[in-house]
Amino acid sequence: MKAVILAGGRGTRLHPFTRRMPKPLVPLLNKPVMEYSIELLKKHGISDIIVTLQYLGDKIVEYFGDGSRWGVNLTYVFEDLPLGTAGSVKNAESLLDEPFIVISGDALTDFDLIDGLVFHLQNRSIFTVFMKEVRNPAKFGIIKTGPDGKIMRFLEKPQKDQEFSRVVNTGIYIVDPVVLCLMEKNREYDFSKELFPKLIENNMALYGFKAKGYWKDIGSHEDYRQAQYDMLERKVQVSLEEEAQPKLWVSSHVRSFRGQSAYIKSSKSKSLVKAGS
């Protein structure tokens, strides 16, 4: 099974971090956020990964290379102009000949992807959306499903008086390649704004999978900060640096500064992260 990592966005809400750095390279506890997505895919036995690139894509290629350092094979597909979430996948259509996973290069999650795949196959779905309930759904797409999980209604970024659900689209999908035939090539196309309404209108097999685990879109400074607190507090199952003692993580490249150890203290989690010079 293959996966597509969407890594072409500009990440304007994370300025100034993303003025000279693509959003997938923004670090979470010393590792680019996209690295956690690669590790999650590898954990689930998915090693053939396509990465869609646009904004500062060369820097992503420079860091990850062919993926061999992580035990995966990375193939890069560039787009000259932004093609949107669905358009960028359509741009890689020639490499996709069986159901595949789409995951964001700028979100943090520990979802069980295999559970989602089993759900997808059991329901004979052509497009499965990983869903998660959140407190504030206003900045996401909200979803209503039937008893069998089939998506009946979807609304992107609702106003307060439009909210009919707190279950949202996480931007993680399992997709049958037949869906790509519904889109035109070389034009901007969005999954949630254009493809979902078309699938719902034509009563096609669009399903929502209620995923268990942690998920956070690293789309704002607040979410970026909170994700790192959550990592230190072990709310998300990801690999961290060595925990030298309870709530003290030491990076492998740490060096002492003039014979003294330097520490960064989290005021919220009261965790200590040892920092090098």
Side-chain angles (χ1 to χ4, degrees):
M1 187 176 192
K2 295 182 179 180
V4 178
I5 296 180
L6 304 180
R10 298 185 67 89
T12 53
R13 289 184 296 158
L14 276 182
H15 282 176
F17 300 137
T18 51
R19 290 192 186 277
R20 297 183 181 180
M21 177 188 298
K23 189 178 176 184
L25 289 188
V26 170
L28 292 176
L29 300 187
N30 297 332
K31 285 166 53 174
V33 57
M34 180 174 146
E35 191 167 338
Y36 295 101
S37 294
I38 290 176
E39 290 175 345
L40 180 69
L41 292 169
K42 182 64 167 59
K43 176 183 176 182
H44 288 88
I46 302 167
S47 58
D48 199 355
I49 303 170
I50 299 158
V51 184
T52 65
L53 301 174
Q54 204 273 321
Y55 176 68
L56 298 178
D58 290 340
K59 293 191 175 185
I60 294 176
V61 176
E62 181 181 356
Y63 182 87
F64 289 104
D66 63 3
S68 56
R69 177 181 164 192
W70 294 270
V72 299
N73 175 47
L74 298 181
T75 301
Y76 299 96
V77 178
F78 283 82
E79 50 200 75
D80 295 328
L81 296 173
L83 293 174
T85 54
S88 62
V89 176
K90 175 72 174 181
N91 196 41
E93 183 175 17
S94 63
L95 302 173
L96 301 167
D97 56 3
E98 61 181 2
F100 58 93
I101 289 177
V102 175
I103 191 168
S104 174
D106 54 19
L108 182 67
T109 183
D110 58 10
F111 286 164
D112 190 318
L113 303 178
I114 301 303
D115 282 353
L117 176 60
V118 170
F119 175 90
H120 178 85
L121 297 175
Q122 287 178 341
N123 287 280
R124 298 182 179 180
S125 174
I126 63 170
F127 199 112
T128 296
V129 179
F130 281 68
M131 307 183 303
K132 183 73 175 177
E133 186 170 346
V134 299
R135 290 182 179 180
N136 180 16
K139 56 185 179 180
F140 304 109
I142 57 175
I143 299 171
K144 180 180 180 180
T145 63
D148 60 352
K150 190 171 184 180
I151 294 178
M152 313 300 295
R153 190 177 178 190
F154 180 88
L155 181 63
E156 183 71 10
K157 296 181 179 178
Q159 299 295 320
K160 191 65 179 177
D161 60 351
Q162 296 176 311
E163 292 179 6
F164 55 81
S165 170
R166 292 195 300 174
V167 176
V168 304
N169 168 24
T170 66
I172 301 173
Y173 313 122
I174 298 176
V175 186
D176 191 294
V178 69
V179 171
L180 302 180
C181 299
L182 302 175
M183 298 181 283
E184 299 175 28
K185 198 168 184 178
N186 299 320
R187 61 154 284 197
E188 188 172 356
Y189 212 94
D190 188 86
F191 280 126
S192 57
K193 295 178 182 178
E194 296 172 87
L195 184 62
F196 292 174
K198 182 179 291 188
L199 293 175
I200 293 172
E201 181 181 352
N202 289 282
N203 197 31
M204 301 179 77
L206 172 66
Y207 280 81
F209 170 68
K210 294 181 179 179
K212 297 179 182 179
Y214 181 94
W215 170 79
K216 184 171 285 294
D217 173 46
I218 313 300
S220 66
H221 291 97
E222 179 183 359
D223 290 332
Y224 174 64
R225 181 173 58 252
Q226 185 61 50
Q228 293 179 89
Y229 287 140
D230 292 344
M231 294 166 76
L232 290 172
E233 294 170 1
R234 298 292 190 179
K235 292 182 178 180
V236 51
Q237 299 302 309
V238 293
S239 61
L240 299 178
E241 302 287 2
E242 180 183 353
E243 190 171 8
Q245 61 188 41
K247 295 193 178 294
L248 175 64
W249 285 267
V250 183
S251 174
S252 58
H253 61 268
V254 161
R255 293 178 298 162
S256 62
F257 179 68
R258 294 180 181 176
Q260 300 293 324
S261 297
Y263 297 92
I264 299 172
K265 185 174 182 180
S266 163
S267 60
K268 182 172 182 178
S269 66
K270 297 183 180 179
S271 300
L272 295 175
V273 181
K274 192 173 183 179
S277 57

